[in-house]
Amino acid sequence: MTKVSMTVNGKAASGEAEGRTLLSSFLREELGLTGTHVGCDTSQCGACVVHVNGVAVKSCTMLAAEAEGAEVATIEGQAAPDGTLNVIQQAFQDHHGLQCGFCTPGMVMSAAALLKDNPKPSEQEIREYLEGNLCRCTGYHNIVKAILAASGQDASAIAAE
Ligand code: FES
Ligand code: FES
């Protein structure tokens, strides 16, 4: 085991990790940040998406040791300290972009990365960007609506499922 240190949601964080420990496991089990979900561990589902140095990453595809010294952002850091949801989280709530919620942390983190690079994505661009994020519940329509709304665009043209 070696000590791994990084900045998580703006605060210094460190813990013990084996060489093979995945960043997703480190966040959940060593730092107690269980908002990052693990649905597959094989880079399929996107439930584990976090940002590493500002880039969306499936945290089950990265070793904790590779994040040494990095700036990591997880779902726990998205709302304001008083619990006020950020614009993407609020839009998911307003547009019913979740049902069971398992995929939601990864969806929100992916959406945040998309909107950072492309503040006004089209419906098609949103659907293409989310190809790596699987949702078993919603049929995606309301997720797309939520992201359109979060970007300040009219979401009413998206047909309800
Ligand atoms: S747990 Fe990482 S992609 Fe599914
Ligand atoms: S809301 Fe259940 S998997 Fe997406």
Side-chain angles (χ1 to χ4, degrees):
M1 299 281 258
T2 54
K3 185 176 176 190
V4 177
S5 300
M6 57 193 75
T7 302
V8 181
N9 300 326
K11 293 186 189 144
S14 60
E16 298 288 317
E18 295 181 52
R20 64 180 180 174
T21 302
L22 300 173
L23 178 58
S24 51
S25 304
F26 183 80
L27 291 169
R28 289 176 55 82
E29 294 159 25
E30 195 67 15
L31 302 185
L33 296 172
T34 54
T36 297
H37 290 169
V38 173
C40 68
D41 249 352
T42 53
S43 193
Q44 310 284 317
C45 75
C48 65
V49 170
V50 301
H51 298 178
V52 177
N53 294 328
V55 176
V57 168
K58 289 179 175 173
S59 60
C60 74
T61 66
M62 183 171 182
L63 297 171
E66 292 179 290
E68 170 71 34
E71 296 271 348
V72 177
T74 72
I75 192 67
E76 285 88 349
Q78 297 301 294
D82 69 356
T84 303
L85 300 179
N86 77 10
V87 66
I88 298 170
Q89 292 171 308
Q90 188 61 54
F92 270 65
Q93 184 176 89
D94 293 345
H95 293 272
H96 308 289
L98 65 150
Q99 289 181 27
C100 80
F102 192 85
C103 70
T104 311
M107 289 288 184
V108 168
M109 297 307 290
S110 288
L114 168 63
L115 296 185
K116 185 158 76 78
D117 291 343
N118 182 359
K120 299 277 183 208
S122 66
E123 175 187 351
Q124 190 58 32
E125 287 171 332
I126 293 170
R127 291 186 186 279
E128 285 174 8
Y129 194 86
L130 294 181
E131 276 180 353
N133 291 76
L134 302 183
C135 177
R136 293 171 58 166
C137 305
T138 65
Y140 301 97
H141 294 286
N142 288 351
I143 291 173
V144 176
K145 271 188 180 181
I147 297 171
L148 278 172
S151 66
Q153 301 183 89
D154 180 10
S156 62
I158 308 290
E161 189 184 7

